[in-house]
Amino acid sequence: MTFSRTVIYAMVGGIFATNACAAPDQETEAVRFGPLIMQTQAPLQITGLTPMIFDPFALATNETDVFATGTVASIWANTPEYQFDYYHNQFMLGMLHALSDDTNVGLWYQYRYAANNRLDGLTEKFHSVFGIDQNGRTEVDEDRFYVYVPDSQSAPSEDFIGDAVVNAVNLYAEHNVYRTEHHAFSVGATLFFNRVASGEFENTAFEQSLQLNYGFQQQKHKVAAMLSLVHRPDNQQHGIDLRQWGVNGGVSYQYQWFKHHELIAEYLVSTGKAHDNHLTELTDIVHEFALGYRYLFGNSAIELGALENMFNHDNSSDIVFSASFRHRLTL
């Protein structure tokens, strides 16, 4: 069974098991969580630091959020200057802890790797149903692992199944600078260390980001937004020179539909990572839109999300699915 099916079955099974075991008279008020555990999935961005949206209202003193996330993605970018056609999966495990009402610290580990999750057929059917152009997908074999940038590669890279894409540790610190009943602002910083020793995505990098977070809350509505500046070393990827500075942003809207159910919509944006303007859309802004559903029970939550690229269709992922388990505890 593929990783994607395993994650989906596990999440659905967890929801039904929780419903079956919880007696109505034993229900407690569900904890509200913040934005989805979701990152940009563009083919160059995925090998480095990709900031996430955080809610400045999320935690009170000594509260801790722990999370585990699985993600499956399909990359398709097809232009005369470059071709990317492969899948990648990711496991991420982490926590965010409130030292006080104004100061949070976080730590998470992420491992992203190339693996056949067989999303090509689903993507082609989706595009066919909604009348979206296939952009050359049906002209090549499904389930390929293929990267070719003619100006920097003498021959295509193929069959790199199993190669690590990211093997990284993230350290995060955040301080609230303003808070009222409905509005909050915080400043956060991330340190990112990645070590991929071999393969198509071989890379060792120490990257940093500084971000401004905004939160709004009122009854069933929550909004969180982020604007981040990222610094990375002067490395290459697939022979492509990368920009040392990048800007990421995002906004998340969460609506508490019923007591135990939330609907979430998010928009992510990031500057192109390629330095060479000849690479067209790899230097353009990346736009991505995500939809999510969250089931809340007690101090825990299960969330399912899907992310799709927008506007510039040759500089981001085709489709992404994620499943997360989250739990809040007091230390």
Side-chain angles (χ1 to χ4, degrees), residues 1 33 36 79 110 143 202 229 232 301 306:
M1 182 178 290
F33 290 86
L36 296 168
T79 75
Q110 60 186 122
D143 308 329
E202 180 179 350
L229 180 66
R232 60 182 70 96

Side-chain angles (χ1 to χ4, degrees), residues 45 49-51 207-211 226-233 242-249 269-274 283 285:
Q45 274 87 343
L49 171 57
T50 50
E207 305 182 21
Q208 313 86 38
S209 74
L210 183 68
Q211 68 186 70
M226 172 271 294
L227 182 65
S228 175
L229 180 66
V230 177
H231 176 260
R232 60 182 70 96
L242 305 180
R243 292 173 176 168
Q244 286 191 277
W245 294 93
V247 177
N248 291 65
V269 60
S270 56
T271 53
K273 198 171 178 180
T283 64
I285 293 175

